[in-house]
Amino acid sequence: MGQEIKVLGLVLQAGNIGEYDKRIVLLTKERGRISAFARGAKKATSPYAAACQPFTFGTFSLYEGKNSFNVMWAQVDNYFEKLKEDLDSIYYASYFSEFASYLTRENNDEMQILKLLYQTLRALEKKTMPNELIRLVYEIKLMAVYGLGMEAFQCVRCGSKEQLVGFEPAEGGTVCASCGGGRFPAGPSTIYALQYILYSPIERLYTFRVSREVQKELKKITEEFLKVHIQHEFKSKIFLPQES
């Protein structure tokens, strides 16, 4: 027999079903990533039409049936309205949500990824740093939370913590000068930025800036790392600005 449950979550995706209904994908504190049907949510008079929009965060009451969830009501805490006023921010937020959706599963403990995504959307909305840097921080931290974090404190070949000068994506981390330095250069400031991102609390992630050169090195390292460890093409990625 079905039951009513309450979940705290963020809408990752929303799609139309028929003439009046919607299907939403929620990343939740209690149940991980789940899908739910919102009957009549396309109608302007629906009490939860606004809640069934991407990037909406709040408490959702769901009827848990044998094979599906149905939205009964929602109490919204954050619509991220300012974020939705900027087209580039929408593109980045869509990519971040798609990436989170790809990694998460139903009934898994996805609290840290939910927390990371929420704080990332806040950073986009408040423009605490350039969008491309927000993206790099998110990608690096998301992989770490997921369990595929980069090694940035020692050489992946010999274990030395001295003279870390490069990065080897296939081996998952930094390489010291004695071991050849890896395929991609990583200066001291880049290494420090990686360490900060990997080991800082999520609440403090978006509170720093880096030079253009450091950002370029972080971008190349992260791109190559994801090519090796995430073999998936995200549809929303094509809309991201091509920044140098």
Side-chain angles (χ1 to χ4, degrees), residues 55-116:
F55 324 132
T56 299
F57 178 82
T59 300
F60 293 78
S61 176
L62 308 174
Y63 178 81
E64 183 179 12
K66 184 177 180 181
N67 299 311
S68 65
F69 294 93
N70 290 278
V71 178
M72 300 179 67
W73 60 264
Q75 178 181 321
V76 176
D77 295 321
N78 197 336
Y79 286 107
F80 287 102
E81 292 173 304
K82 290 184 180 179
L83 181 155
K84 295 174 183 177
E85 294 172 0
D86 179 69
L87 193 57
D88 282 348
S89 294
I90 292 173
Y91 292 151
Y92 276 101
S94 298
Y95 168 62
F96 298 155
S97 296
E98 187 182 0
F99 203 156
S101 182
Y102 176 75
L103 294 181
T104 53
R105 298 291 182 269
E106 185 173 346
N107 293 322
N108 278 3
D109 181 1
E110 310 290 8
M111 181 58 191
Q112 288 300 104
I113 292 182
L114 173 61
K115 188 176 180 181
L116 174 61

Side-chain angles (χ1 to χ4, degrees), residues 63-184:
Y63 178 81
E64 183 179 12
K66 184 177 180 181
N67 299 311
S68 65
F69 294 93
N70 290 278
V71 178
M72 300 179 67
W73 60 264
Q75 178 181 321
V76 176
D77 295 321
N78 197 336
Y79 286 107
F80 287 102
E81 292 173 304
K82 290 184 180 179
L83 181 155
K84 295 174 183 177
E85 294 172 0
D86 179 69
L87 193 57
D88 282 348
S89 294
I90 292 173
Y91 292 151
Y92 276 101
S94 298
Y95 168 62
F96 298 155
S97 296
E98 187 182 0
F99 203 156
S101 182
Y102 176 75
L103 294 181
T104 53
R105 298 291 182 269
E106 185 173 346
N107 293 322
N108 278 3
D109 181 1
E110 310 290 8
M111 181 58 191
Q112 288 300 104
I113 292 182
L114 173 61
K115 188 176 180 181
L116 174 61
L117 180 58
Y118 181 83
Q119 292 297 334
T120 305
L121 296 185
R122 286 190 65 195
L124 273 178
E125 186 173 58
K126 294 178 180 296
K127 301 188 182 301
T128 57
M129 60 172 62
N131 286 348
E132 184 175 311
L133 183 55
I134 292 175
R135 170 186 170 179
L136 295 173
V137 173
Y138 176 76
E139 290 172 333
I140 293 166
K141 191 69 170 183
L142 180 62
M143 292 295 287
V145 172
Y146 181 66
L148 287 174
M150 300 175 183
E151 172 56 68
F153 276 84
Q154 63 183 27
C155 176
V156 292
R157 293 175 182 170
C158 72
S160 173
K161 297 181 180 180
E162 305 297 328
Q163 291 188 302
L164 301 177
V165 296
F167 192 91
E168 181 51 59
E171 297 174 56
T174 49
V175 182
C176 70
S178 298
C179 291
R183 286 192 295 146
F184 301 98

